[in-house]
Amino acid sequence: MANVLQQCFPEIRTREAVIRVISESEKLRSVWVKWNDQQQNVIDAQKEDLSKQEEAITHRAS
């Protein structure tokens, strides 16, 4: 099933897309490398939250 939230909100990006943007910007990359693992992994936590929200939306729509 396609990601419902990304269909409705195309500005939501995958971790890979965010990392790509960070790696393309010297300024963002310099901030990123200063973050510890927990801070860098907040992207994954947010993605999990979005997945849960998507499941709830899909469940309500059925």
Side-chain angles (χ1 to χ4, degrees):
M1 178 178 194
N3 187 323
V4 175
L5 288 175
Q6 282 184 320
Q7 288 178 353
C8 295
F9 305 98
E11 64 275 3
I12 296 175
R13 299 180 186 182
T14 63
R15 176 183 175 84
E16 293 76 21
V18 171
I19 299 297
R20 187 172 37 255
V21 170
I22 291 170
S23 67
E24 292 171 355
S25 166
E26 187 175 329
K27 184 176 181 178
L28 292 176
R29 195 172 46 252
S30 68
V31 171
W32 177 259
V33 297
K34 292 176 186 174
W35 287 5
N36 62 38
D37 288 342
Q38 183 180 7
Q39 291 169 310
Q40 290 180 1
N41 291 329
V42 75
I43 294 170
D44 290 331
Q46 290 173 345
K47 186 176 179 182
E48 287 178 25
D49 289 344
L50 290 173
S51 293
K52 289 176 186 176
Q53 292 173 10
E54 177 184 356
E55 288 175 22
I57 290 168
T58 303
H59 182 69
R60 278 185 259 155
S62 358

